[in-house]
């Protein structure tokens, strides 16, 4: 039977009293601390506050549209009932804002980080990320990580003067690493941030060591895991990979999506209110870690989901080589130039820096930018366009 935990009466009374007294969390990131590369632009006003501007920049980013056809976990299924990244980022934002509101944090900053955190993700989920990383590294000795690419999309490809706090939260979200305690690490400015981003390209372990500089970033990071943990179980049950949630360990946080979301939120609030860090009780952390491990064992590493990835992997390699050839050719009539370079120039029509993309960007990076931007269906359509004579069927499973 489902079990839903509640905040202690003592903490509920304190929160209500603090609200009545207009308490402000001294550890929250205030709007007036926002930092942008171009400080003369995007100045906040009454109807468009500081981080609301970043939310709108992300929502109107052309690559935001592509969330709707990017795999969350399960590729190869033509089924509208399973999650895509568009839903995932909304669920993250909802969970993170729930936590942030109770802790007195900046909900606009939380929402911006949440909505932007996966905008650089590859088609075909983490398998696609792995394929692209292996190819990119073999060619350049540099690493590809979707969170770093999300920063690149928001800061270098679509030029919209995003804030440091949002970019930092996106870089540090790394939803594959849970922690018992999340404590922000101070960030001095864009120079330090840029150095950290570059380290992620050149040092294998650097990406795992990124820690948000704001509590808002920490909230989003833990919410990323909370959002997918139970939802992925629901999706796996819908397509028949799992029978039900009873095959998972019934621990402190529960086994269903609703239990996990509620119980994790409650315990984080209970143990983090008024503190300069986020934490949870050890029993909850152990249950949380165990639940994620069981997801890997029963869903992500399940042989039933591997088929389409085996079909797609060689397609990544061949597409990369063909697009690299086009990128190096300088021929503006190619698919690469017409659908990637010109696309970026149109997006950044008012910014002269966009004209320097080809001159200042390594061809391998340009190819990575293009492939990472694709949805699953775009990837397959482009493959057919590039190699019209080759038959490489992808076996999708439908409703029936």
């Amino acid at each position: 039977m489902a079990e839903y935990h509640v905040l202690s009466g003592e903490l509920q009374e304190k929160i209500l009293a603090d609200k009545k007294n207009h308490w402000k969390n001294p550890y929250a990131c205030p709007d007036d601390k926002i930092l942008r590369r171009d400080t003369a632009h995007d100045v906040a006003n009454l109807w468009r506050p500081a981080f609301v501007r970043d939310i709108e920049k992300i929502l109107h980013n052309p690559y935001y549209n592509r969330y709707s056809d990017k795999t969350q976990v399960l590729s190869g299924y033509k089924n509208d009932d399973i999650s895509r990244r568009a839903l995932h980022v909304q669920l993250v934002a909802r969970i993170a804002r729930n936590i942030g509101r109770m802790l007195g944090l900046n909900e606009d900053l939380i929402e911006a980080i949440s909505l932007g955190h996966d905008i650089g993700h590859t088609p075909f989920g983490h398998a696609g990320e792995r394929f692209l990383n292996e190819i990119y590294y073999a060619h350049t000795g540099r690493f590809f990580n979707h969170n770093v690419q999300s920063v690149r999309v928001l800061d270098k490809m679509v030029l919209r003067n995003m804030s440091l706090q949002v970019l930092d939260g996106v870089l540090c979200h790394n939803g594959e690493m849970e922690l018992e305690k999340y404590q922000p690490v101070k960030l001095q400015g864009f120079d330090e941030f840029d150095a950290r981003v570059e380290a992620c390209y050149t040092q294998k372990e650097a990406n795992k060591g990124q820690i948000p500089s704001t509590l808002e970033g920490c909230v989003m990071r833990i919410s990323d895991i909370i959002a997918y943990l139970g939802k992925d179980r629901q999706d796996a049950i819908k397509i028949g990979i799992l029978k039900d949630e009873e095959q998972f360990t019934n621990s402190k946080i529960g086994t269903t999506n609703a239990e996990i979301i509620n119980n994790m939120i409650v315990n984080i609030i209970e143990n983090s209110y008024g503190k300069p860090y986020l934490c949870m009780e050890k029993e909850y952390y152990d249950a949380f870690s165990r639940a994620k491990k069981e997801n890997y064992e029963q869903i992500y590493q399940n042989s039933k989901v591997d088929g389409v990835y085996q079909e797609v992997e060689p397609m990544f390699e061949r597409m990369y080589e063909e697009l690299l050839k086009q990128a190096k050719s300088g021929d503006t009539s190619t698919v690469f130039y017409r659908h990637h370079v010109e696309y970026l120039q149109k997006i950044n029509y008012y910014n002269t820096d966009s004209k320097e993309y080809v001159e200042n960007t390594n061809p391998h990076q340009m190819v990575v930018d293009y492939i990472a931007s694709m949805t699953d269906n775009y990837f397959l359509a482009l493959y057919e366009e590039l190699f019209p004579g080759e038959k490489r069927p992808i076996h999708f499973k439908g409703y029936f």
Side-chain angles (χ1 to χ4, degrees):
M1 183 176 178
E3 181 179 349
Y4 299 98
H5 306 161
V6 298
L7 291 174
S8 66
E10 180 182 0
L11 182 58
Q12 290 189 55
E13 290 179 6
K14 178 171 177 52
I15 292 174
L16 289 172
D18 285 345
K19 285 182 177 295
K20 186 176 181 180
N21 294 323
H22 305 289
W23 172 79
K24 290 187 177 181
N25 189 337
Y27 305 114
C29 179
D31 280 7
D32 61 11
K33 295 296 183 183
I34 194 168
L35 183 62
R36 301 188 188 280
R37 292 189 188 276
D38 185 348
T39 57
H41 287 80
D42 301 293
V43 178
N45 53 37
L46 184 61
W47 59 96
R48 290 188 71 206
F51 293 110
V52 168
R53 289 172 175 267
D54 283 17
I55 294 170
E56 293 171 353
K57 290 171 187 289
I58 293 168
L59 289 173
H60 292 288
N61 187 315
Y63 289 118
Y64 186 87
N65 289 20
R66 301 191 182 186
Y67 272 138
S68 62
D69 187 41
K70 289 200 177 194
T71 295
Q72 174 58 18
V73 171
L74 302 168
S75 299
Y77 291 87
K78 290 188 177 297
N79 188 322
D80 293 336
D81 290 331
I82 60 176
S83 303
R84 297 293 188 271
R85 292 207 174 269
L87 177 60
H88 169 68
V89 298
Q90 293 176 54
L91 293 175
V92 173
R94 182 67 267 156
I95 292 167
R97 288 193 65 174
N98 280 345
I99 295 172
R101 183 179 66 255
M102 297 303 294
L103 297 182
L105 300 178
N106 192 323
E107 290 184 58
D108 292 334
L109 174 54
I110 286 172
E111 184 174 4
I113 298 170
S114 300
L115 295 179
H117 80 276
D118 273 351
I119 203 166
H121 215 299
T122 59
F124 300 101
H126 286 291
E129 180 178 13
R130 185 174 69 253
F131 301 153
L132 191 54
N133 175 56
E134 290 171 353
I135 299 168
Y136 184 52
Y137 183 78
H139 278 284
T140 66
R142 291 168 69 82
F143 297 98
F144 174 88
N145 291 283
H146 79 270
N147 55 312
V148 181
Q149 186 66 18
S150 292
V151 169
R152 182 167 170 76
V153 170
L154 295 171
D155 191 37
K156 302 298 183 184
M157 291 172 61
V158 183
L159 306 172
R160 296 293 187 270
N161 199 28
M162 294 294 296
S163 71
L164 176 64
Q165 289 86 349
V166 170
L167 294 173
D168 167 70
V170 169
L171 177 67
C172 301
H173 81 260
N174 202 338
E176 298 308 303
M177 293 183 63
E178 70 279 6
L179 298 171
E180 189 172 348
K181 181 178 180 180
Y182 294 78
Q183 183 145 15
V185 173
K186 189 173 182 180
L187 179 61
Q188 297 297 331
F190 275 104
D191 287 344
E192 181 183 347
F193 176 76
D194 292 342
R196 285 168 46 193
V197 170
E198 178 59 23
C200 292
Y201 284 109
T202 59
Q203 302 170 28
K204 187 174 183 179
E205 299 301 315
N207 192 49
K208 296 180 180 179
Q210 301 302 321
I211 300 173
S213 63
T214 64
L215 265 178
E216 288 80 2
C218 293
V219 167
M220 182 269 141
R221 178 166 164 169
I222 187 66
S223 298
D224 188 22
I225 311 177
I226 296 171
Y228 72 65
L229 202 56
K231 195 69 175 67
D232 290 351
R233 295 179 180 187
Q234 285 185 336
D235 287 346
I237 291 168
K238 285 176 183 175
I239 63 174
I241 291 177
L242 302 178
K243 181 181 179 181
D244 53 42
E245 288 97 342
E246 290 183 5
Q247 61 195 85
F248 294 96
T249 301
N250 189 7
S251 58
K252 196 70 175 178
I253 65 173
T255 60
T256 67
N257 189 39
E259 286 179 297
I260 292 169
I261 292 173
N262 177 81
N263 297 340
M264 285 299 298
I265 288 176
V266 166
N267 197 254
I268 290 169
I269 295 170
E270 189 74 47
N271 290 278
S272 307
Y273 188 79
K275 298 176 181 176
Y277 55 81
L278 300 182
C279 68
M280 64 195 90
E281 293 173 28
K282 189 175 189 311
E283 189 175 3
Y284 282 75
Y285 172 72
D286 290 343
F288 192 49
S289 296
R290 186 185 307 115
K292 189 162 78 71
K293 181 180 179 182
E294 291 182 354
N295 269 32
Y296 271 86
E297 294 170 348
Q298 299 190 42
I299 303 174
Y300 314 140
Q301 297 169 351
N302 192 310
S303 60
K304 293 180 181 179
V305 304
D306 283 345
V308 69
Y309 298 134
Q310 294 174 5
E311 296 170 345
V312 166
E313 183 173 11
M315 297 170 69
F316 265 80
E317 295 178 2
R318 188 160 186 206
M319 181 183 288
Y320 187 103
E321 296 300 336
E322 176 59 29
L323 292 176
L324 181 64
K325 188 187 305 180
Q326 293 185 11
K328 290 180 175 181
S329 72
D331 183 353
T332 58
S333 69
T334 61
V335 169
F336 174 81
Y337 273 82
R338 288 186 291 111
H339 290 274
H340 177 57
V341 175
E342 290 182 9
Y343 181 78
L344 282 175
Q345 290 173 343
K346 288 177 181 178
I347 291 172
N348 297 303
Y349 64 92
Y350 62 88
N351 196 312
T352 56
D353 290 344
S354 66
K355 298 177 182 178
E356 301 174 3
Y357 178 76
V358 174
E359 296 177 7
N360 297 340
T361 309
N362 182 282
H364 290 280
Q365 181 64 64
M366 289 194 289
V367 171
V368 166
D369 289 342
Y370 189 24
I371 294 177
S373 76
M374 297 176 191
T375 66
D376 295 21
N377 282 335
Y378 187 109
F379 179 96
L380 296 176
L382 178 59
Y383 191 87
E384 291 180 2
E385 176 70 19
L386 294 175
F387 311 109
E390 179 175 334
K391 293 184 178 180
R392 187 177 291 278
I394 300 297
H395 299 93
F396 289 96
K397 297 181 181 179
Y399 290 97
F400 312 107

